[in-house]
Amino acid sequence: MQIRLSLAVAAGAFAGKLSRLARRGRGVIISGRVTLAIDPDALRKLARNRLVVLVSGTNGKTTTSHLLAAAFATGGRVAANRSGANMPDGLVAALSRDRQAPVAVLEVDEPHLPQVVDAVDPAAVVLLNLSRDQLDRVGEVHRLEARLRRALAGPPTTLVVANADDVLVTSAAWDAPRTLWVGAGAPWDQDGRICPRCAEPVRWYDGSWSCTCGLSRPVAGWALDEDKVLTPDDRRLPLDLALPGRANRANAVMALATACALGVDAEAALAAIGDVAEVNGRYRTVDRRGRAVRLLLAKNPAGFAETLTLLDDLPGPVVVAVNSREADGRDVSWLWDVPFERLRGRHLVACGDRADEVATRLLYAEVDHHTVADPRRALDGLRPGPAVLVANYTAFRDAARALDRAA
Amino acid sequence: MPPDSAVRIGVLFPDILGTYGDNGNAVVLERRLRWRGLATQIERIGVDDPVPAECDVYVIGGGEDQAQVLAADRLRSNPALSRAVDRGAVVLAVCAGLQVLGRWFAGPRGERYEGLGLLDVTTVARRRRIVGDITVLPDPALLPDALTGFENHQGATTLGRDARPLGTVLQGTGNGAGRAVDGAVQRRVLGSYLHGPVLARNPALADLLLEWVTGAPLPALHVPDGRKA
């Protein structure tokens, strides 16, 4: 059996190399696909005898897994799918690349989580949040919650680290044999108004919530309190992050709680988490002919709402680029759930394949804007100085590559 | 509608229905009135709030199965919406909203739930979900040009004698039962499977509903940034 796996991994690595030589990308997904084609059980075999942590949820997967990998790296080697390829082929590629690392931190696409949990017997599953996202690809979020609930109720030794402030996450983790509840906050509550278990309205009061059926906010061992972390032993640790914004403080407390529960020293983990300044090219600033452009990714209403709060501290015009390719979801109705009205008084540029639909949304939000389909050309049309690019998945990827090539 | 009073736009249960950005439809109606200098106000009616019978337009969006059953339950226990429709109020209902306003709809396991009967339609579940772009040529008595949208639903909706379809499906599925039509129109209640911000994509449909409300043709619209709208 091991021979088959070795052959599969070698063939996958070769395919990845060919793909890179042909300049068809980083070759991660093709290498994982080839490995899985030769050994369909490769994921299970590659995960065996390692401590595996899975990170899933609608927003923050990539960032949280980078933070967790940094925390675990204080104690040794870590295998991780850092480029964000988070379906089984991407996970296989990440585990194949580093067969010696005793720890693996893997972000997992949420519809694939049940299958991956079953294959890798994880030490922990981190469930950050659940909200509407790519509804034509992922499906509706209450159905997803029901699937995750069944998957997490199974494995007896897996620790489920769950955000107690998120109704759907709590419901998904409620039946798990071992849970660690973290109060990471959940400002987007539009998908937590109706109980996923009994269909009655959820009651919200003073930052807590409950339902008549008994589902209620669990008492959290770890919690985020502005820029401090409350620990289970009643300490208040300062959260000093290089990454901006409330959402990243939430990601950090989830990562910290998980790392500590699995034996990493809290101070060391906190320092490592604080040093992470860039995640897969996100949050960094690039120069575009005299314009300092901050690159932000936002893919769905909850993620966009958090990103809009970041803009308060980032001056200059905002370029919003939205595509609707396979990986983005084809339906852009979600633009109407994004509170663009917040940006009144600021100038925006509508970009991407769906520039017209962004422009229509901005028109009705009464936000001053103009339209330029190509984000790079949009940036070139701005006065020198600071600017922000907010883009969804493929729009971000393409714009970031184009800016790097030009630099 | 008295000439000098504000148009009241009631959004029904935005807390539980509105999965696909459907709440944008109320924003579109409100802005298109205001840009024409007409007074208007949006009232968001939560699932536990009493439903007012006095709004001029009601919009109701889409949602998942549980939300839909809860919405139907709340609306049936309160005659306000039916009373409003009887006196001529306009209703836009998309996706789950369309099904709730029908005579009955089937849940995911085939069980039947009673609807409001404001549209003479009944809905059962299809085996496969319909996801994708949709184009509908509306009944020419309503509008001249094609409507575009996105659909994501599992309903198969059959029209009874009292409801007319909104239009013929050119691309996509629509009601998904019998003839290739989408939606239902009865009195001033208009339902469709074009989900989410259908009025933003189809401003002529928004203006048709507003003409039903005001009872007169609307003046041409000059939008703030000069774009065609």
Side-chain angles (χ1 to χ4, degrees), chain B residues 5-30:
Chain B
S5 65
V7 174
R8 290 177 65 179
I9 302 167
V11 186
L12 285 170
F13 311 153
D15 45 351
I16 64 162
L17 295 178
T19 302
Y20 295 99
D22 309 289
N23 295 327
N25 288 323
V27 174
V28 173
L29 292 173
E30 190 262 348

Side-chain angles (χ1 to χ4, degrees), chain A residues 28-369:
Chain A
V28 176
I29 290 168
I30 185 70
S31 85
R33 259 182 215 166
V34 168
T35 303
L36 277 169
I38 297 172
D39 187 347
D41 209 26
L43 184 56
R44 186 184 307 274
K45 290 176 186 170
L46 287 164
R48 200 172 282 158
N49 300 322
R50 305 205 226 207
L51 185 142
V52 180
V53 182
L54 306 179
V55 178
S56 201
T58 306
N59 288 306
K61 293 185 283 291
T62 307
T63 301
T64 305
S65 25
H66 276 242
L67 298 176
L68 256 175
F72 278 112
T74 59
R77 277 171 70 175
V78 180
N81 52 341
R82 289 192 173 81
S83 71
N86 63 12
M87 298 193 203
D89 40 20
L91 310 185
V92 162
L95 294 172
S96 299
R97 260 198 322 271
D98 196 343
R99 299 205 33 199
Q100 308 309 320
V103 174
V105 175
L106 301 171
E107 69 158 284
V108 183
D109 181 44
E110 41 303 2
H112 286 91
L113 188 64
Q115 171 198 352
V116 176
V117 166
D118 182 55
V120 306
D121 188 23
V125 174
V126 183
L127 199 52
L128 300 165
N129 46 61
L130 287 171
S131 66
R132 60 192 70 176
D133 182 31
Q134 301 185 8
L135 290 157
D136 51 312
R137 183 181 80 83
V138 178
E140 289 169 354
V141 66
H142 279 247
R143 288 174 197 238
L144 177 65
E145 184 279 318
R147 289 184 56 221
L148 299 187
R149 190 194 306 179
R150 283 193 295 277
L152 297 178
T157 56
T158 300
L159 179 69
V160 178
V161 183
N163 181 359
D165 291 314
D166 187 304
V167 173
L168 292 174
V169 164
T170 299
S171 178
W174 193 255
D175 301 332
R178 295 180 63 217
T179 47
L180 173 62
W181 300 107
V182 180
W188 177 268
D189 62 2
Q190 298 297 303
D191 296 298
R193 301 290 185 83
I194 185 162
C195 178
R197 298 198 160 222
C198 72
E200 286 295 313
V202 172
R203 315 281 158 172
W204 289 80
Y205 44 88
D206 294 339
S208 189
W209 57 268
S210 69
C211 179
T212 50
C213 72
L215 187 72
S216 61
R217 184 188 184 279
V219 175
W222 295 78
L224 182 65
D225 182 15
E226 300 285 328
D227 58 352
K228 300 271 193 304
V229 176
L230 308 181
T231 70
D233 54 357
D234 288 332
R235 285 184 296 158
R236 290 171 71 88
L237 305 176
L239 205 50
D240 189 12
L241 301 182
L243 294 174
R246 192 219 71 88
N248 283 323
R249 293 199 292 277
N251 294 333
V253 68
M254 294 293 286
L256 185 65
T258 308
C260 293
L262 298 176
V264 181
D265 172 66
E267 303 291 335
L270 197 57
I273 284 169
D275 284 342
V276 174
E278 182 184 319
V279 177
N280 243 3
R282 303 170 196 172
Y283 304 107
R284 73 193 160 123
T285 302
V286 297
D287 177 73
R288 175 69 184 168
R289 299 176 183 169
R291 294 156 198 92
V293 186
R294 191 75 178 246
L295 303 184
L296 302 175
L297 176 89
K299 303 185 282 196
N300 51 49
F304 241 105
E306 294 266 21
T307 301
L308 296 188
T309 67
L310 285 183
L311 296 182
D312 295 347
D313 300 321
L314 300 174
V318 182
V319 175
V320 177
V322 173
N323 287 350
S324 63
R325 299 177 197 171
E326 186 75 38
D328 304 304
R330 302 272 180 205
D331 185 10
V332 291
S333 296
W334 57 269
L335 284 171
W336 286 82
D337 288 324
V338 178
F340 281 109
E341 286 79 2
R342 262 191 79 108
L343 297 182
R344 279 180 197 156
R346 203 119 175 214
H347 188 77
L348 266 66
V349 189
C351 296
D353 298 346
R354 295 302 195 116
D356 283 345
E357 262 148 305
V358 174
T360 301
R361 176 70 189 97
L362 296 174
L363 169 72
Y364 281 104
E366 301 183 318
V367 174
D368 177 44
H369 66 280

Side-chain angles (χ1 to χ4, degrees), chain B residues 67-207:
Chain B
Q68 181 176 340
V69 171
L70 181 62
D73 192 50
R74 292 290 199 269
L75 286 175
R76 270 191 293 105
S77 65
N78 180 334
L81 186 63
S82 304
R83 222 178 275 157
V85 169
D86 285 342
R87 97 181 133 68
V90 175
V91 183
L92 171 71
V94 302
C95 220
L98 159 68
Q99 299 179 10
V100 164
L101 297 196
R103 288 197 285 118
W104 55 261
F105 58 91
R109 283 168 297 278
E111 67 277 33
R112 275 190 192 193
Y113 296 96
E114 204 185 323
L116 262 69
L118 295 175
L119 288 171
D120 185 12
V121 303
T122 56
T123 303
V124 297
R126 289 168 64 96
R127 204 174 305 153
R128 302 185 76 183
R129 203 168 177 81
I130 301 152
V131 182
D133 290 306
I134 174 169
T135 309
V136 173
L137 190 63
D139 181 337
L142 298 172
L143 288 170
D145 297 323
L147 306 170
T148 70
F150 204 90
E151 57 182 335
N152 188 345
H153 65 96
Q154 211 162 352
T157 296
T158 304
L159 271 69
R161 209 175 298 155
D162 295 337
R164 297 178 287 141
L166 169 61
T168 308
V169 173
L170 301 181
Q171 177 208 4
T173 301
N175 291 353
R179 284 192 300 142
V181 295
D182 176 74
V185 183
Q186 191 173 337
R187 292 186 285 183
R188 289 175 173 180
V189 181
L190 189 149
S192 175
Y193 277 112
L194 276 62
H195 75 206
V198 53
L199 298 185
R201 289 181 65 143
N202 302 286
L205 182 60
D207 286 350

